Amino acid sequence: MKNGRGNRVAVVGTGFVGASYAFALMNQGIADEIVLIDANENKAEGDAMDLNHGKVFAPKPADIWHGDYDDCRDADLVVICAGVNQKPGETRLDLVDKNIAIFRSIVESVMASGFQGLFLVATNPVDILTYATWKFSGLPQERVIGSGTILDTARFRFLLGDYFAVAPTNVHAYIIGEHGDTELPVWSQADIGGVPIRKLVESKGEEAQKELERIFVNVRDAAYQIIEKKGATYYGIAMGLARVTRAILHHENAILTVSAYLDGPYGERDVYIGVPAVINRNGIREVIEIELDEEEKKWFHRSAATLKGVLARYFAQ
């Protein structure tokens, strides 16, 4: 265990996602200390060695080591990437039974260390497991965050930018709801350079509208496509986790589509679900309630109901 000299991030689970996330943290110089924790201690130790060998190339070298749950005591952020991965043909919700028990053990071990920081959850189904982390930890809801639809939103912006031939950073659009099959695009509020996307396609006719629908389907089903081709998704979500981490540790007050607890916004209560939220050093400062049209409201409520139906099997609602 190192002595705390700055922002410490503990990564629980050093599989594809956890290792890629740690790599992104080091490359972007986001954290001062990175501790890697895994049931396979040799894997965590090997990753720490490998990352340390690249320190000379990093913009701000971090202290990196493999550790255990005691190292979470002084962590500012614990990021959970552990659990059973999605296999070809499986939905994210198929993973609940396998991962709830794993999470109970992880979260209780983290809390036993005296941890007083924030949790960031990446493991799928992320909305369910973020709720579980909140319940198991006993922490205030704003200090438990899920990666939510941050990656779906990034995919959406990328594909729309590609279609309209503009930089994705100039595309302003959200995917909200479950990080899964019931997520939805907020077309009513999507714009490029201040021009609504719906207006941009008006003059292009029905085929353009169909192309937008295909773009969303490709966003929603991207994980299935990638898993079939290479077995797992990890680079995109690792970059997304790094972005959330920077917003937290640098107290940015950035708006990101994370899995946040709702207690009234969007007409929903007692569910973690992907929505835009202001993120800073204290966690979720507030949920941003964007205006949805009637169809989007129905879609969002259906998504929340899907999650609540799963949660009811494990937690008293």
Side-chain angles (χ1 to χ4, degrees):
M1 181 183 293
K2 302 290 182 83
N3 293 318
R5 293 198 299 269
N7 293 320
R8 177 182 296 185
V9 176
V11 184
V12 180
T14 60
F16 287 129
V17 172
S20 298
Y21 167 60
F23 184 60
L25 286 182
M26 188 181 77
N27 270 301
Q28 295 180 40
I30 294 172
D32 300 302
E33 299 181 346
I34 304 169
V35 54
L36 306 178
I37 302 167
D38 197 282
N40 183 343
E41 292 187 26
N42 281 335
K43 172 66 165 66
E45 183 176 10
D47 279 323
M49 292 170 65
D50 202 2
L51 288 167
N52 274 312
H53 296 164
K55 268 187 181 179
V56 69
F57 308 115
K60 188 181 82 170
D63 285 333
I64 304 171
W65 72 100
H66 80 285
D68 55 34
Y69 288 113
D70 285 342
D71 291 298
C72 295
R73 183 182 64 232
D74 298 320
D76 301 277
L77 179 67
V78 168
V79 183
I80 307 180
C81 303
V84 178
N85 294 326
Q86 190 177 351
K87 294 182 174 61
E90 283 187 319
T91 70
R92 295 176 180 93
L93 292 180
D94 288 333
L95 305 175
V96 180
D97 287 337
K98 302 172 184 177
N99 283 329
I100 282 278
I102 294 172
F103 261 62
R104 181 184 289 276
S105 174
I106 289 171
V107 174
E108 289 178 353
S109 296
V110 170
M111 296 308 296
S113 73
F115 174 65
Q116 292 294 320
L118 306 179
F119 275 108
L120 175 57
V121 178
T123 309
N124 282 318
V126 68
D127 304 292
I128 302 297
L129 294 176
T130 305
Y131 187 98
T133 299
W134 170 57
K135 284 290 190 180
F136 297 154
S137 68
L139 290 175
Q141 62 202 41
E142 66 272 11
R143 286 169 55 192
V144 180
I145 308 169
S147 55
T149 51
I150 189 169
L151 178 56
D152 311 89
T153 293
R155 289 166 172 161
F156 195 38
R157 294 172 68 195
F158 166 74
L159 290 173
L160 286 171
D162 189 54
Y163 178 69
F164 288 104
V166 297
T169 50
N170 295 123
V171 177
H172 305 287
Y174 294 118
I175 298 290
I176 64 173
E178 174 206 359
H179 175 53
D181 294 344
T182 65
E183 66 188 33
L184 63 139
V186 186
W187 290 117
S188 65
Q189 300 298 327
D191 72 78
I192 295 176
V195 181
I197 285 177
R198 283 177 170 171
K199 185 174 182 180
L200 288 173
V201 300
E202 277 179 4
S203 61
K204 296 187 177 183
E206 186 177 337
E207 187 53 41
Q209 184 59 46
K210 288 181 180 178
E211 186 59 32
L212 291 188
E213 291 170 4
R214 283 192 288 268
I215 284 172
F216 167 62
V217 169
N218 282 333
V219 169
R220 184 193 64 200
D221 297 344
Y224 298 124
Q225 297 166 13
I226 294 170
I227 289 167
E228 186 166 337
K229 292 177 184 298
K230 59 176 268 186
T233 68
Y234 36 94
Y235 297 135
I237 187 58
M239 294 288 283
L241 292 169
R243 178 67 190 93
V244 177
T245 301
R246 187 165 76 245
I248 291 169
L249 298 184
H250 295 184
H251 197 62
E252 287 186 354
N253 291 308
I255 298 175
L256 301 167
T257 48
V258 296
S259 187
Y261 185 81
L262 297 189
D263 188 23
Y266 298 93
E268 292 292 344
R269 295 183 184 278
D270 200 29
V271 65
Y272 270 88
I273 194 168
V275 289
V278 180
I279 308 298
N280 63 24
R281 185 83 189 195
N282 300 315
I284 296 175
R285 193 191 78 189
E286 64 181 290
V287 168
I288 302 297
E289 189 168 4
I290 54 178
E291 187 174 346
L292 306 179
D293 65 25
E294 290 306 310
E295 188 63 25
E296 290 162 351
K297 288 178 183 176
K298 290 178 185 176
W299 205 338
F300 185 80
H301 291 314
R302 184 185 70 173
S303 190
T306 297
L307 292 171
K308 287 180 177 180
V310 176
L311 287 170
R313 304 202 316 251
Y314 301 93
F315 303 98
Q317 294 278 289

